[in-house]
Amino acid sequence: MPHPHVIQWPDSDFGVRIPAKFLEQIGVRENDEVEIFCQGDRAVIRKATGPGRKAEEENLEQ
């Protein structure tokens, strides 16, 4: 398993490079919105869902 490193951007935010195969497993592609949250000592990343998300996708299709 790869061991990504945490990097700091010039604006003080941090980033982690995520291997493409991990994102493919959860159905995330370039420019998709994701939700990031903590569960105990774990960071969880998942494709964004929610009340407003479906409406946004429908507007893009029209």
Side-chain angles (χ1 to χ4, degrees), residues 5-52:
H5 298 285
V6 175
I7 59 172
Q8 186 168 14
W9 300 104
D11 63 0
S12 297
D13 284 338
F14 290 87
V16 177
R17 182 177 237 172
I18 302 168
K21 69 177 185 174
F22 292 165
L23 296 177
E24 289 169 3
Q25 287 180 334
I26 61 172
V28 173
R29 296 181 304 204
E30 185 176 9
N31 295 320
D32 282 349
E33 291 182 13
V34 295
E35 297 173 345
I36 303 172
F37 57 93
C38 295
Q39 280 187 334
D41 64 346
R42 297 173 187 228
V44 177
I45 301 171
R46 67 180 179 197
K47 191 169 184 173
T49 59

